[in-house]
Amino acid sequence: MKRRYLQLEGTSIGDAGCKTLGTKPSVTGVNVAHCTNVTLKGIMELAHSATVDEFSFSFRGVTQEDVMRVIREVRHARWLGIVDPKGEVDADAVKREGGSRGVKIVLQAQGALSTFLGEQPRPWTPKDPQRQP
């Protein structure tokens, strides 16, 4: 069976699409960062998937506690990318939670679409300089 990673960043996919993708055995990864129709419900559909190995989403319209819940409820994925341009995620907390669940957490200042469109890559930095990743 061919396995696929879907780069859907910035598209009009929504929560129902995330639910459908989460049930497809051939889909092993999904990037839904900057998809304005994807809410916490859609992110949770990916987290609950029995086949998705990795996925990315934006820290937009979700809270720190929502992110912690996503990590706690991940069923199969072992890699999560969180696009957080403003550096608002508590990196220590999410990485600690991910580590306790065997999930690698990667914080990104920008998504793949930005660099594809020519924006220079930049590292994620915390909003509060006292809080280090």
Side-chain angles (χ1 to χ4, degrees):
M1 174 185 332
K2 189 171 184 179
R3 314 229 344 129
R4 294 194 173 115
Y5 187 94
L6 300 176
Q7 207 43 282
L8 300 174
E9 182 174 341
T11 67
S12 61
I13 189 171
D15 295 340
C18 290
K19 182 176 183 174
T20 299
L21 291 174
T23 65
K24 301 292 182 190
S26 62
V27 175
T28 59
V30 181
N31 179 357
V32 294
H34 301 297
C35 293
T36 56
N37 296 325
V38 174
T39 68
L40 178 61
K41 181 178 179 181
I43 296 167
M44 293 307 295
E45 293 291 351
L46 296 173
H48 293 154
S49 170
T51 59
V52 172
D53 296 327
E54 58 185 76
F55 64 97
S56 298
F57 62 94
S58 296
F59 189 69
R60 174 202 45 78
V62 296
T63 65
Q64 176 73 29
E65 185 51 42
D66 293 337
V67 172
M68 299 298 278
R69 178 179 166 213
V70 169
I71 297 167
R72 282 192 300 269
E73 294 188 26
V74 161
R75 181 171 174 195
H76 182 76
R78 293 295 163 243
W79 186 94
L80 294 181
I82 303 169
V83 178
D84 174 28
K86 296 180 182 177
E88 298 173 315
V89 171
D90 182 339
D92 291 334
V94 297
K95 288 183 178 188
R96 188 171 41 254
E97 188 69 34
S100 73
R101 303 263 307 134
V103 178
K104 180 175 175 78
I105 308 296
V106 176
L107 297 169
Q108 302 166 297
Q110 65 207 79
L113 184 59
S114 299
T115 53
F116 177 75
L117 294 175
E119 189 176 312
Q120 289 299 313
R122 56 188 166 83
W124 180 88
T125 55
K127 184 176 186 177
D128 177 359
Q130 300 301 314
R131 190 177 74 215
Q132 295 299 313

